[in-house]
Amino acid sequence: KQDVIELIYKLFSIRISAQMEDEWLTGEKIKLDGIQMVYLFDAVEKKFAICIPPEKLENYAFSTVNGIVKVVSDVLQRNEMN
């Protein structure tokens, strides 16, 4: 989780507190735009050396810090099983 929070700070100079981990990244508190979300998606894939499949993005799974952590965890677990 800390790696995702640090990526957001590194890319956008936005500090994410524990209370903000379930806030929508594109919502009123954090205010990332679509292009920033694409940059974050790319940075997450590179940081964790993964390729996030499209089905992992359904139901807004990549919309909060905790959501991203779950997506990354799921992909890493799937990769370990293969």
Side-chain angles (χ1 to χ4, degrees):
K1 183 184 298 189
Q2 193 59 36
D3 288 336
V4 173
I5 291 170
E6 288 172 9
L7 265 180
I8 293 170
Y9 182 74
K10 179 180 171 189
L11 291 170
F12 313 116
S13 299
I14 296 172
R15 294 192 189 279
I16 304 293
S17 67
Q19 296 84 0
M20 297 169 70
E21 291 172 1
D22 286 314
E23 292 287 335
W24 288 78
L25 295 174
T26 55
E28 285 299 312
K29 290 187 179 178
I30 302 172
K31 299 181 182 178
L32 295 185
D33 62 29
I35 293 171
Q36 289 171 314
M37 290 298 290
V38 171
Y39 281 120
L40 178 58
F41 180 85
D42 183 60
V44 166
E45 286 192 324
K46 288 178 180 171
K47 171 80 177 172
F48 296 99
I50 58 174
C51 182
I52 299 170
E55 63 270 12
K56 290 292 179 189
L57 303 178
E58 294 173 359
N59 300 316
Y60 304 98
F62 201 86
S63 299
T64 67
V65 169
N66 286 332
I68 294 170
V69 170
K70 179 161 179 15
V71 167
V72 169
S73 176
D74 290 350
V75 172
L76 288 172
Q77 285 179 348
R78 185 195 70 197
N79 289 351
E80 288 176 1
M81 296 170 90
N82 292 336

